[in-house]
Amino acid sequence: MAITKIKAPAFHITGKTGWINDPNGLIFYNGQYHVFFQHHPYDTKWGPMHWGHVVSDDLTNWSYLPNALTPGDDCDKNGCFSGSAIVHDNKLWLIYTGFIENQGGDSIRQVQCLAESSDGVTFKKHGIIIGEDNLPSEYAPCDFRDPKVWLHDNTFWCIIGAKKVGGRGRILLYKSKDLFNWEFVNDLLGTDSAGTMIECPDYNEELGYLLYCEQFQPSENGLHLNIHTCRYCIGRIDYTNGTFNEESRGIVDYGFDVYAPQTFAGKHMIMGWLNMWDRNVPSEKYGFAGMLTAPRKVLIKDGRLYQEPIVSCRAASYKEEGKETLQDKLKTGVITIKATNLEALELKLRSNGANYTTLSLKNGEWIFCRALSGEAIKGAEKDSDSINGIRRMPYSGNKETTLTIVMDEFSVEIFEDGRALTSTIYPPENADTLELSVKAEKWQYERADIDLKA
Ligand code: FRU
C-alpha cells in the first residue's frame, strides 16, 4: 500500500511515511549522527519491521537515507526487530533481532542477527549470530529480542531481553571476541521482572546505568501509570560474575508517551520512542504514526538519571520578565521559564480557547493534562488519571527553578531538575496561543525558535 504523508512534526524524527516505533542503533559514524528506527513504511499500523534510517549533523535537522534493513531473509523472515550498532574496524555493525513468525505463539522464533556496512548507507546481512541453540533451555525462544552491544576490555558484550519459560522478563548477558561467535554468560538480574517481558535493555558503561522496558508492569503504588514502563537502574555490571549491582532506580519519563529509550553508543545521550503501545494514534490520517523524542543529554547525580533536551535553537526571539501573566503565540519551539522561589504556575499551551494542554504546579507536583488538547487518545490504562488525560511529576522545590518545554506540532516534552514528562498531543491547526501565570519572587520567560535548515 502506498501512503502519502500530509503532515509531520517540524523537527522530531518520524518515518518518511507509515509507522515507526523504537529507536535502534543510535550511533555517531563517519562524521554524522545515525538514528535507525523500527519502521513499517507501507502502513500506519505496526507490520513487518524494517529499519528506517536518518542522519544529522546537529541532532535537530534529520535527512532520510534508504531503509537500512528489510525483512524477508531466512533469519528475519517476518521482521527486523530492535537492536543496536557498534563501530568496529571502521565499519558500522548492526545487531538486531530476526523475527520468524512460523505459526505464531510458542512457535515464533526470535534470533539475533548481524549486518555490516562500510559506508553507513547500505548493509550486508550476515545472518544469525545468537540463535536458539545458544539460548539456555529455561528461556523461551519466542521471546528473545533487542540486543544491545558494547565493548569492554577488548570483548564485545551484549544484553538481550528474554523470558523464563513459564515466568517473566529477564535480561541475558552474552560475550564475544569477534561479533560473530557468542557465549552465554549469565542471567543478569537473576530474578523475574514484575512485567511480563523485558524489552529494549540498554547499558551505559561509562555513566553506569541500565535502562529497560517492562510490559504490563503493575503501577508500583502509582509510581508510574503506563502499563508499559521504562525504568533506569543506576549501577554497574560485574563482568566476572555476570551480574548487575543496582544502587538506585527510577522511571525514565513521567508522561504518557516514552518507550524503548536507548543510549547513543559511547555518548551521554538518549532518545526514546515518543508514543506508546496500546493507544490509538490520531496522526494516522496524516500518513504517519509514531515519532522519536528529541535527543536528551543524560548524567547521573545523587542516584538519579538527569535528562536535558538537546535541540538546536536560534537566539531567544521573545523574552518577558516579572509580570504576573503573559501571552505568547507558538506551536513549535523551546520555552524556558526561570523562577526564584516559585510558589505557583499555570501554563496553557496550544490553546484556541476551547482546546488546550495544561501544566500546573500544585502541592509540590507538576500536573500535566491533555484531556482537552484536541483529538482524543485512549489507552488501555483504567486508573482515573489516565482516563482524565493526566500525568504527574515531582517538583524539585529548588530555590531556583528552570522549567524547559520542547514543543512540536504533535508533542510536548517537559523538563525540570533532570526529570522529564513527555506526551503526544493532537491539537487543532488554530490552537497556537500560550498563556502563563506565575507566582514567584522573580521570574523570566523565554522562547526560542528551532533552527530548521530547510
Ligand atoms: C518494543 C518492541 C521490541 C521489538 C520491537 C518490534 O517496543 O516490542 O521488543 O523488538 O518493538 O517492533
Side-chain angles (χ1 to χ4, degrees):
M1 185 163 62
I3 291 188
T4 313
K5 190 164 74 177
I6 54 173
K7 275 193 194 178
F11 59 98
H12 283 77
I13 294 170
T14 186
K16 201 165 184 179
T17 58
W19 165 277
I20 79 163
N21 54 286
D22 318 348
N24 297 149
L26 307 178
I27 200 154
F28 188 77
Y29 177 65
N30 270 356
Q32 282 188 307
Y33 292 98
H34 290 249
V35 167
F36 304 86
F37 46 86
Q38 289 287 280
H39 186 28
H40 187 201
Y42 310 114
D43 201 342
T44 52
K45 306 256 186 258
W46 187 88
M49 282 293 112
H50 296 55
W51 273 39
H53 188 186
V54 289
V55 285
S56 174
D57 297 324
D58 65 358
L59 293 166
T60 300
N61 291 272
W62 297 93
S63 328
Y64 289 103
L65 289 179
N67 289 328
L69 298 174
T70 301
D73 290 293
D74 286 350
C75 63
D76 55 22
K77 223 172 182 175
N78 308 104
C80 300
F81 277 14
S82 287
S84 52
I86 192 164
V87 176
H88 171 56
D89 280 348
N90 292 324
K91 291 182 183 165
L92 179 57
W93 301 81
L94 306 182
I95 300 198
Y96 67 100
T97 298
F99 172 59
I100 305 158
E101 198 164 12
N102 294 325
Q103 286 73 46
D106 287 348
S107 78
I108 287 172
R109 287 296 173 266
Q110 298 186 344
V111 291
Q112 316 319 317
C113 305
L114 185 67
E116 77 169 89
S117 173
S118 307
D119 61 2
V121 181
T122 48
F123 290 83
K124 177 177 145 206
K125 290 183 187 172
H126 286 288
I128 302 175
I129 47 159
I130 307 177
E132 195 177 344
D133 53 347
N134 200 355
L135 175 68
S137 59
E138 61 266 40
Y139 303 97
C142 59
D143 274 309
F144 180 42
R145 56 183 179 268
D146 311 336
K148 170 77 187 194
V149 68
W150 71 95
L151 189 70
H152 169 85
D153 262 357
N154 292 321
T155 300
F156 296 104
W157 297 82
C158 181
I159 46 175
I160 308 173
K163 191 182 194 135
K164 205 101 201 245
V165 175
R168 291 176 165 258
R170 301 278 175 140
I171 297 175
L172 303 185
L173 179 67
Y174 284 78
K175 67 177 178 182
S176 167
K177 283 286 174 202
D178 59 7
L179 290 175
F180 284 83
N181 298 288
W182 290 85
E183 185 189 324
F184 173 73
V185 179
N186 200 18
D187 184 328
L188 190 72
L189 305 177
T191 50
D192 268 349
S193 74
T196 55
M197 171 67 188
I198 287 185
E199 298 189 307
C200 302
D202 178 82
Y203 183 59
N204 183 326
E205 163 83 357
E206 281 171 47
L207 292 183
Y209 66 73
L210 187 66
L211 305 179
Y212 60 91
C213 297
E214 289 176 83
Q215 291 183 300
F216 302 101
Q217 150 75 293
S219 81
E220 300 176 297
N221 295 324
L223 171 66
H224 53 82
L225 296 174
N226 296 335
I227 55 172
H228 309 304
T229 321
C230 311
R231 191 185 285 301
Y232 67 78
C233 300
I234 314 275
R236 290 188 187 273
I237 289 181
D238 171 337
Y239 290 96
T240 313
N241 298 318
T243 52
F244 179 74
N245 296 326
E246 181 177 319
E247 290 158 20
S248 56
R249 55 167 53 200
I251 58 165
V252 175
D253 197 283
Y254 289 85
F256 280 100
D257 296 306
V258 169
Y259 198 69
Q262 290 284 302
T263 305
F264 273 79
K267 308 255 177 222
H268 300 172
M269 193 161 71
I270 64 169
M271 220 169 180
W273 179 31
L274 207 172
N275 210 342
M276 183 55 74
W277 294 113
D278 298 316
R279 307 234 168 97
N280 62 311
V281 187
S283 63
E284 277 193 77
K285 61 173 163 298
Y286 306 134
F288 82 93
M291 305 169 267
L292 301 185
T293 66
R296 298 170 178 188
K297 185 175 155 209
V298 285
L299 60 99
I300 305 292
K301 209 168 80 182
D302 306 328
R304 271 214 285 130
L305 180 78
Y306 277 67
Q307 303 170 59
E308 227 178 77
I310 303 172
V311 181
S312 171
C313 286
R314 307 220 173 93
S317 55
Y318 177 75
K319 240 181 182 182
E320 233 355 304
E321 289 189 26
K323 290 186 183 171
E324 274 208 358
T325 59
L326 68 80
Q327 268 209 4
D328 195 5
K329 290 257 180 229
L330 81 154
K331 287 184 176 176
T332 66
V334 176
I335 63 172
T336 311
I337 300 162
K338 290 192 174 151
T340 306
N341 291 332
L342 178 63
E343 282 172 43
L345 185 146
E346 290 284 342
L347 177 63
K348 258 188 195 177
L349 298 167
R350 299 298 305 269
S351 172
N352 63 3
N355 291 107
Y356 44 81
T357 300
T358 60
L359 178 72
S360 335
L361 176 61
K362 273 191 201 125
N363 304 325
E365 64 178 1
W366 297 105
I367 304 174
F368 168 86
C369 181
R370 69 174 181 187
L372 295 175
S373 290
E375 296 189 62
I377 307 163
K378 288 211 167 58
E381 292 84 3
K382 297 287 176 268
D383 61 281
S384 63
D385 268 8
S386 298
I387 286 167
N388 292 320
I390 288 174
R391 283 291 178 265
R392 299 162 194 268
M393 174 168 87
Y395 168 50
S396 66
N398 290 343
K399 185 172 184 332
E400 304 295 337
T401 299
T402 302
L403 179 68
T404 308
I405 305 183
V406 178
M407 292 172 61
D408 202 336
E409 295 281 347
F410 306 106
S411 61
V412 187
E413 294 171 85
I414 300 167
F415 299 85
E416 197 266 319
D417 197 34
R419 295 188 182 90
L421 189 160
T422 302
S423 292
T424 54
I425 51 168
Y426 297 95
E429 284 277 354
N430 66 356
D432 64 355
T433 302
L434 175 151
E435 287 171 23
L436 174 65
S437 70
V438 180
K439 252 181 116 175
E441 192 182 314
K442 61 178 194 209
W443 66 279
Q444 176 194 312
Y445 166 92
E446 207 175 275
R447 178 232 309 160
D449 298 329
I450 310 298
D451 191 10
L452 291 174
K453 304 285 185 235

